[in-house]
């Protein structure tokens, strides 16, 4: 049951107060694993925080079977980096303040479902049976950097049906916070529904054009998107990669 994946990245206009968007897609023995995230900050500290989280994901994604441990490893790496910053070794207190990161990890195994853990990130969208719906986590969790608000049982992985013909969209908030001259936010679910019959490449290009048209080509934040189609067919490994 192969999957087809694509991605898109749009940089904000020069001079915008942008944060550090991050994303990656990796084929592992557990299936395709993905991360998408966004640092709530700007400048070099935000870039550093994004690099720390992405590096931690790449370090652990191939050998840790528990998706919760994958995302916990990313949070631990960010906390360690913050401790170094507070100690004055790198960046001082300002670097710590830029360490607030939303992130979502997802896993698509060779079965008709997929799994996610969401740390305060915009909700993924699932197009299934002609309907687009946001995927709410069972237990909402805060972003990395404010773990003191996590209490109760360990972090659990949410699982959702993912059948042939379904489409999954992960994205950063630069998409849904894009505004037009009337200060109206971009309606991503509506755009996804309008392009439900588009091929993967046509959808990504259509989304790019719609975003730039809505924002008059003046994006205030970076945009990162990962699109996954669950396809009919033979085989045991998802194929393709970000395009």
């Amino acid at each position: 049951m192969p999957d087809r994946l694509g991605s898109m990245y749009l940089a904000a206009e020069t001079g915008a107060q942008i944060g550090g968007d991050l994303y990656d897609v990796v084929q592992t023995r557990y299936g395709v694993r993905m991360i998408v995230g966004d640092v709530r900050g700007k400048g070099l500290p935000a870039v550093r925080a994004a690099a720390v989280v992405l590096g931690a994901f790449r370090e652990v994604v191939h050998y840790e079977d528990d998706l919760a441990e994958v995302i916990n490893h990313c949070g631990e790496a960010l906390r360690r980096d913050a401790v170094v910053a507070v100690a004055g070794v790198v960046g001082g207190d300002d670097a710590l303040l830029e360490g607030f990161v939303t992130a979502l990890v997802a896993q698509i195994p060779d079965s008709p479902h997929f799994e996610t853990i969401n740390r305060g990130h915009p909700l993924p969208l699932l197009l299934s049976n002609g309907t687009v719906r946001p995927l709410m986590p069972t237990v909402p969790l805060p972003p990395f950097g404010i773990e003191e608000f996590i209490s109760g049982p360990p972090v659990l992985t949410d699982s959702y049906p993912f059948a042939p013909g379904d489409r999954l969209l992960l994205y950063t908030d630069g998409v849904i916070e894009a505004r037009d001259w009337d200060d109206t936010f971009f309606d991503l679910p509506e755009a996804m529904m309008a392009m439900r019959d588009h091929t993967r490449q046509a959808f990504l290009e259509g989304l790019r054009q719609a975003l730039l048209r809505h924002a008059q080509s003046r994006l205030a934040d970076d945009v990162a998107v990962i699109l996954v189609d669950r396809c009919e067919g033979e085989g045991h490994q998802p194929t393709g990669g970000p395009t």
Side-chain angles (χ1 to χ4, degrees):
M1 193 179 295
D3 303 305
R4 298 294 183 268
L5 299 101
S7 66
M8 178 179 69
Y9 180 85
L10 296 175
E13 63 173 312
T14 303
Q17 294 188 351
I18 60 174
D21 283 12
L22 62 101
Y23 71 106
D24 200 5
V25 179
V26 181
Q27 175 69 66
T28 76
R29 57 181 171 169
Y30 310 109
V32 168
R33 285 180 161 179
M34 300 169 284
I35 186 170
V36 60
D38 191 1
V39 180
R40 298 302 199 228
K42 59 184 183 297
L44 291 179
V47 173
R48 178 182 176 85
V52 168
V53 173
L54 195 55
F57 173 78
R58 291 169 175 168
E59 178 182 86
V60 75
V61 70
H62 285 287
Y63 65 81
E64 180 55 67
D65 61 350
D66 188 342
L67 198 62
E69 289 303 317
V70 173
I71 200 166
N72 288 343
H73 185 76
C74 296
E76 288 292 342
L78 194 63
R79 280 194 293 274
R80 288 195 302 270
D81 191 69
V83 169
V84 172
V86 169
V89 176
V90 179
D93 290 342
D94 288 343
L96 175 63
L97 295 175
E98 300 292 358
F100 168 42
V101 182
T102 71
L104 181 144
V105 294
Q107 175 174 289
I108 304 178
D110 183 31
S111 57
H113 75 282
F114 69 95
E115 300 157 354
T116 68
I117 300 177
N118 192 335
R119 291 294 302 269
H121 197 73
L123 301 178
L125 296 177
L126 178 65
L127 171 62
S128 181
N129 297 318
T131 301
V132 175
R133 65 184 179 100
L135 301 178
M136 293 289 297
T138 302
V139 179
L141 297 170
F144 297 139
I146 50 176
E147 280 79 4
E148 62 269 23
F149 294 102
I150 296 180
S151 60
V155 173
L156 299 178
T157 301
D158 287 310
S159 181
Y160 305 93
F162 196 40
D166 289 353
R167 170 169 283 176
L168 174 66
L169 187 66
L170 312 180
Y171 55 94
T172 57
D173 63 6
V175 181
I176 56 176
E177 292 183 0
R179 305 183 190 216
D180 61 14
W181 286 117
D182 295 324
D183 222 26
T184 302
F185 291 115
F186 183 75
D187 192 332
L188 182 57
E190 181 180 272
M192 191 174 184
M193 188 65 183
M195 296 186 289
R196 62 188 178 277
D197 295 325
H198 286 35
T199 65
R200 183 181 71 258
Q201 293 87 346
F203 175 88
L204 291 172
E205 177 58 22
L207 180 59
R208 184 188 71 83
Q209 294 180 9
L211 268 173
L212 293 176
R213 185 167 55 248
H214 183 83
Q216 293 82 41
S217 298
R218 295 174 59 87
L219 294 173
D221 197 358
D222 290 356
V223 164
V225 172
I226 299 174
L227 181 70
V228 187
D229 287 335
R230 167 97 345 150
C231 304
E232 299 277 6
E234 298 295 330
H236 297 283
Q237 294 295 339
T239 59
T243 58

